[in-house]
Amino acid sequence: MTAAGAARRAALAGLVLGAVAGCGGSPAGASDGVLDVLVSSYPLEYVAEEVGGEHVEVASLVPPGGDTHGLEPAPRDVAALGEADLVVHLSGGLQPGVDEVLAQQPPEHLVDAAGVADRGPDPHFWLDPLRLAELGRQVADGLAALDPDHAAEFTAAADRLAASLAGLDEEYAETLAPCRGATLLATHEAFGYLADRYGLRQVGVAGLDPQVEPPPSRVRAAADAVRESGARTIFFETAAGSSVAEVLAADLGLETDVLHPIERVSAEQTYPGLMAANLAALERGLVCSG
């Protein structure tokens, strides 16, 4: 471990010990019949609210518009993780600081979305609606274990969410059927789950972290992919800026368009709305046969 890593771990350990010392008594949700659910990113927040309904109070470690990748837990976050009735988190490296806090301070009740994410380091499973539906069922099970009296309501809500997401999947599948095999060229390599589900070929200029400047080798590889495939659009994320997309578009004669990885989400934006906008952008920008 590097010196910086050791210092970071020691600082987190101090935060955890301080938070534990300051906690006590029964869970916050026990006194009013409402379960306190703490999530670590917006897609998890959407699922928890849809499944829990009036029986939960959902809070997120990431504020509206905040950076999911760059989250470093503050002392209040460490305390909240220890006090929540249920924590919903995606482990595996998207938020290493949260992973470390939970390793040192394991919550009594945790739903780990890693169970529905299997593309290695790519965390963006929620761009596949059917995987997000599976998380809904896991959240329902987690809530039912805490509040058995409302288990049937949680199950019914998860079923409604699954039906809605199945409808979204059908819309994507029907719209993108003529595009199977098309190249999805994106500045941020965040669309692997979506590409796998609908038969697209993702080519990312940058890696999974949109803030990392792509090396020249990746830019050259993306340019080669454009020439081979005839791709006509490069998709970028507004939060990361469009400079890379604009440079490639100018060099290769491409259009640019926005594709949202549903990470930095404002208070006005929603999962269904962003997925609808993404589908419209793909329909405009991909090279399809129909």
Side-chain angles (χ1 to χ4, degrees):
M1 181 184 296
T2 65
R8 181 170 177 268
R9 183 175 292 275
L12 282 169
L15 289 177
V16 169
L17 289 173
V20 171
C23 296
S26 60
S31 61
D32 57 8
V34 175
L35 297 173
D36 289 325
V37 179
L38 186 64
V39 303
S40 55
S41 66
Y42 169 73
L44 313 184
E45 179 181 4
Y46 170 71
V47 170
E49 289 179 340
E50 291 293 308
V51 173
E54 65 182 7
H55 303 297
V56 300
E57 185 72 33
V58 181
S60 178
L61 294 175
V62 181
D67 181 10
T68 299
H69 284 269
L71 177 66
E72 287 292 344
R76 65 179 181 277
D77 299 324
V78 176
L81 286 165
E83 294 169 355
D85 296 319
L86 178 69
V87 174
V88 185
H89 174 58
L90 172 60
S91 66
L94 174 62
Q95 297 161 316
V98 180
D99 289 348
E100 291 185 28
V101 169
L102 294 179
Q104 296 180 50
Q105 177 186 293
E108 186 174 355
H109 298 282
L110 169 69
V111 173
D112 189 348
V116 295
D118 59 10
R119 295 192 81 258
D122 182 358
H124 305 89
F125 74 91
W126 51 82
L127 295 175
D128 177 342
L130 299 186
R131 289 181 185 266
L132 195 63
E134 178 57 33
L135 176 63
R137 297 185 182 95
Q138 293 183 12
V139 170
D141 291 342
L143 293 172
L146 287 161
D147 184 0
D149 290 344
H150 296 110
E153 292 180 54
F154 298 139
T155 299
D159 288 344
R160 288 193 298 271
L161 176 62
S164 174
L165 292 170
L168 177 63
D169 171 66
E170 290 174 7
E171 184 179 2
Y172 261 74
E174 180 178 349
T175 301
L176 298 179
C179 309
R180 292 192 71 84
T183 293
L184 194 174
L185 177 64
T187 55
H188 179 193
E189 198 172 51
F191 304 97
Y193 285 99
L194 187 153
D196 287 352
R197 174 63 66 186
Y198 304 110
L200 306 175
R201 176 194 173 210
Q202 177 184 227
V203 174
V205 182
L208 291 168
D209 188 340
Q211 305 302 325
V212 175
E213 189 74 17
S217 60
R218 289 195 69 124
V219 176
R220 287 194 297 270
D224 290 343
V226 169
R227 297 185 185 100
E228 291 172 7
S229 67
R232 65 190 183 200
T233 303
I234 180 166
F235 297 97
F236 69 95
E237 175 191 354
T238 53
S242 61
S243 58
V244 172
E246 289 170 352
V247 169
L248 268 179
D251 288 347
L252 300 172
L254 303 174
E255 299 293 327
T256 61
D257 208 340
V258 173
L259 205 59
H260 205 298
I262 315 186
E263 288 181 317
R264 283 182 182 254
V265 177
S266 71
E268 296 76 25
Q269 293 172 316
T270 66
Y271 177 85
L274 289 171
M275 287 295 284
N278 280 351
L279 181 56
L282 291 169
E283 189 175 16
R284 286 192 303 268
L286 294 176
V287 176
C288 305
S289 62

